Amino acid sequence: MKKLTLLALATLLTQFAYLQKNGVVFGKIVDEKEKEILLGVNVRIKGTPNGTVTDMDGNFKLELAPGIYDFEISYVSYYTQVVEKIEVKADEMTELNIALVESLSTITEHEVTVKAIGGSNVELVGDIQM
């Protein structure tokens, strides 16, 4: 019984020590101009497939092994931003708040009208605007 207790304690301590080896990078992503939160922003470690996306409040959190990382932050219709040389330390939390700049490209509006030709049964359902 004593050996079983020691084995369980050793296993628990090993798992606890493993959990404490990583650090955490967390933060919030907002629109630079309006300061609105951005939902679903990609926060990725540059050069890897590893990363996460922001939640409904614009927050993200990544648990990483200690080291120095470059982060690539991207979102549709915003310029991709790279934040370099963020140091992650064991058992520490590193805050990384980002304001993304909206891309200046705009979508132009077009109106499309559909007409029936030569007795076909095509009907205009509605105007299409893009």
Side-chain angles (χ1 to χ4, degrees):
M1 179 71 177
K2 188 175 181 180
K3 288 183 181 181
L4 184 59
T5 304
L6 286 174
L7 179 61
L9 182 60
T11 303
L12 182 61
L13 289 175
T14 302
Q15 289 177 347
F16 184 70
Y18 172 76
L19 292 175
Q20 290 189 350
K21 289 182 184 178
N22 289 335
V24 173
V25 176
F26 72 99
K28 181 175 266 196
I29 312 293
V30 298
D31 174 272
E32 182 183 59
K33 186 176 179 181
E34 301 296 327
K35 305 300 183 214
E36 294 177 354
I37 59 170
L38 298 174
L39 163 71
V41 176
N42 293 306
V43 179
R44 190 172 59 87
I45 300 168
K46 189 173 180 185
T48 75
N50 301 333
T52 189
V53 295
T54 57
D55 63 16
M56 292 186 348
D57 296 319
N59 298 313
F60 72 92
K61 181 179 170 185
L62 278 170
E63 186 175 328
L64 299 167
I68 297 176
Y69 297 92
D70 296 338
F71 291 88
E72 186 174 77
I73 295 90
S74 60
Y75 194 54
V76 175
S77 78
Y78 285 80
Y79 291 110
T80 297
Q81 187 170 335
V82 176
V83 181
E84 298 179 327
K85 298 180 180 159
I86 301 298
E87 185 175 6
V88 176
K89 296 179 181 178
D91 297 329
E92 289 188 18
M93 297 184 78
T94 303
E95 188 169 6
L96 183 62
N97 295 312
I98 304 291
L100 288 181
V101 177
E102 190 172 11
S103 172
L104 298 177
S105 62
T106 59
I107 299 173
T108 57
E109 183 178 307
H110 298 280
E111 187 173 311
V112 178
T113 305
V114 179
K115 295 181 182 179
I117 300 176
S120 66
N121 291 331
V122 176
E123 293 183 29
L124 177 62
V125 176
D127 289 339
I128 301 171
Q129 295 184 4
M130 300 185 342

